[in-house]
């Protein structure tokens, strides 16, 4: 047996691919080498000079992997779940998710222990509209600028003094063995994570029963339920890289609780909602939370406040 796993080539993407490969090997009792890792460079990897919101959004990190799946050159693809667009091409499906890691963001700075403590006018670098908007919500006096590149690149730019602080996902740092780089783990009350943050998603061809059977033992149902709610929230709000959106669902005792937020890119205005319900209604409660926010949004909310390189 030889399985072909497709992935991006960043250190984090490869760490996630190896985690999937190792879990498959343990679940089925075969050698890890039976899963061949195929590195595929995506459009999102190539574009480093501008925000992804200006270049096409989330699909930039999945498009080439989707094409490889549709052409049959790989059997399944491994993604950071937060990079998955709300809709996949018809021949493809999300097979499921690994057990979720910590969803929280971290603050990294040699100049302040928390965003509240950074000197006025300091420069915060991030590639995430959500993180930038949340920083501005907390500290309107700070400047936020684009900081692209993989985790190691962003950390090196911070160390070189190009920015005074940055924010990253704790899950990614853990998978890279870099969690000691975090200055502060941020509370989700102030920094609600991106939908899917901390989860590894797997996509495959719809109807490929053999691959689905092999993947089934490593997939986590509770993570799937949580992400059903979060992704439904995104779908209703047209969640792409053009809109700062946070969503986090928790699952306990058969119930799902979702918190969601939508912000202006400059953090000057935001709207939140919370919904709870049975696991079977996860997607519906995500939709309800989004509709509750939509009913309160001022006209033109999604069209206003384009994001310059520096806010």
């Amino acid at each position: 047996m030889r399985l072909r796993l497709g992935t991006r080539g960043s250190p984090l993407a490869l760490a996630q691919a190896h985690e999937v490969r190792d879990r498959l090997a343990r679940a089925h009792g075969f050698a890890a080498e039976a899963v061949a890792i195929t590195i595929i460079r995506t459009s999102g990897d190539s574009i480093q000079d501008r925000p992804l919101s200006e270049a096409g959004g989330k699909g930039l990190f999945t498009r080439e992997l989707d094409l490889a799946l549709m052409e049959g050159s790989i059997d399944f693809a491994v993604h950071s779940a937060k990079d998955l667009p709300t809709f996949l091409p018809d021949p493809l499906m999300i097979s499921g998710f690994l057990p979720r890691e910590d969803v929280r963001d971290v603050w990294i700075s040699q100049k302040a222990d928390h965003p509240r403590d950074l000197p006025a006018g300091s420069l915060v670098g991030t590639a995430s509209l959500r993180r930038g908007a949340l920083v501005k919500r907390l500290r309107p006096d700070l400047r936020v600028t684009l900081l692209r590149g993989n985790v190691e690149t962003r950390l090196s730019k911070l160390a070189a003094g190009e920015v005074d602080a940055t924010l990253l996902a704790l899950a990614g740092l853990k998978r890279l063995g870099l969690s000691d780089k975090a200055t502060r783990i941020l509370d989700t009350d102030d920094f609600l994570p991106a939908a899917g943050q901390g989860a590894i998603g797997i996509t495959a061809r719809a109807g490929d029963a053999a691959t689905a059977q092999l993947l089934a033992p490593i997939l986590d149902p509770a993570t799937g339920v949580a992400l059903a709610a979060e992704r439904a929230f995104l779908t209703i709000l047209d969640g792409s890289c053009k809109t700062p959106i946070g969503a986090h669902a928790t699952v306990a005792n058969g119930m799902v609780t979702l918190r969601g937020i939508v912000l202006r890119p400059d953090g000057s205005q935001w709207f939140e909602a919370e919904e709870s319900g049975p696991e079977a209604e996860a997607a519906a409660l995500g939709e309800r939370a989004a509709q509750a926010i939509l009913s309160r949004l001022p006209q033109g909310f999604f069209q206003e406040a384009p994001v310059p390189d520096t806010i």
Side-chain angles (χ1 to χ4, degrees), residues 39-57:
I39 296 174
I40 297 172
R41 186 171 177 82
T42 69
S43 302
D45 297 312
S46 301
I47 299 169
Q48 297 291 326
D49 60 342
R50 60 192 186 276
L52 293 178
S53 58
E54 296 178 3

Side-chain angles (χ1 to χ4, degrees), residues 60-81:
L60 293 172
F61 283 128
T62 61
R63 190 174 300 152
E64 287 78 7
L65 286 159
D66 289 346
L67 183 60
L69 267 176
M70 289 186 282
E71 291 176 341
S73 58
I74 58 174
D75 298 307
F76 60 95
V78 175
H79 304 271
S80 293

Side-chain angles (χ1 to χ4, degrees), residues 24-265:
L24 280 171
R26 289 196 300 270
H28 295 287
F30 54 62
E33 290 72 24
V35 181
I37 294 177
T38 301
I39 296 174
I40 297 172
R41 186 171 177 82
T42 69
S43 302
D45 297 312
S46 301
I47 299 169
Q48 297 291 326
D49 60 342
R50 60 192 186 276
L52 293 178
S53 58
E54 296 178 3
K58 286 187 179 180
L60 293 172
F61 283 128
T62 61
R63 190 174 300 152
E64 287 78 7
L65 286 159
D66 289 346
L67 183 60
L69 267 176
M70 289 186 282
E71 291 176 341
S73 58
I74 58 174
D75 298 307
F76 60 95
V78 175
H79 304 271
S80 293
K82 65 181 179 180
D83 290 338
L84 288 168
T86 49
F87 297 102
L88 272 64
D90 284 338
L92 307 183
M93 61 177 287
I94 298 175
S95 299
F97 307 91
L98 297 193
R100 198 173 200 173
E101 246 293 359
D102 198 310
V103 303
R104 291 174 292 177
D105 285 322
V106 301
W107 171 257
I108 307 175
S109 176
Q110 296 180 348
K111 298 185 176 181
D113 184 57
H114 191 278
R116 294 188 182 92
D117 305 322
L118 203 61
S122 296
L123 187 62
V124 178
T126 178
S128 163
L129 281 182
R130 174 189 59 85
R131 290 177 181 136
L134 289 170
V135 166
K136 293 290 287 184
R137 178 177 76 151
L138 195 65
R139 287 285 308 275
D141 58 302
L142 296 179
R143 296 176 297 142
V144 176
T145 191
L146 176 68
L147 189 67
R148 290 292 313 280
N150 61 38
V151 170
E152 294 85 352
T153 298
R154 296 183 208 187
L155 290 174
S156 66
K157 289 180 178 180
L158 173 65
E162 294 186 26
V163 294
D164 298 307
T166 191
L167 301 93
L168 294 170
L170 176 56
L173 291 180
K174 283 187 171 185
R175 289 178 177 129
L176 290 168
L178 296 172
S179 55
D180 61 324
K181 300 295 183 182
T183 305
R184 169 74 67 92
I185 299 173
L186 297 169
D187 195 294
T188 57
D189 288 341
D190 289 328
F191 286 84
L192 200 64
Q197 185 157 306
I200 296 173
I202 303 175
T203 59
R205 290 181 293 276
D208 183 351
T211 298
Q213 186 176 5
L214 284 165
L215 292 172
I218 70 170
L219 304 179
D220 183 57
T223 301
V225 169
L227 265 68
E230 294 173 16
R231 289 176 60 78
F233 181 80
L234 278 184
T235 299
I236 295 297
L237 292 168
D238 190 27
S240 67
C241 288
K242 297 181 180 179
T243 309
I245 296 176
H248 180 219
T250 55
V251 181
N253 302 317
M255 298 292 289
V256 184
T257 300
L258 172 79
R259 291 177 53 220
I261 188 171
V262 180
L263 308 94
R264 290 193 187 277

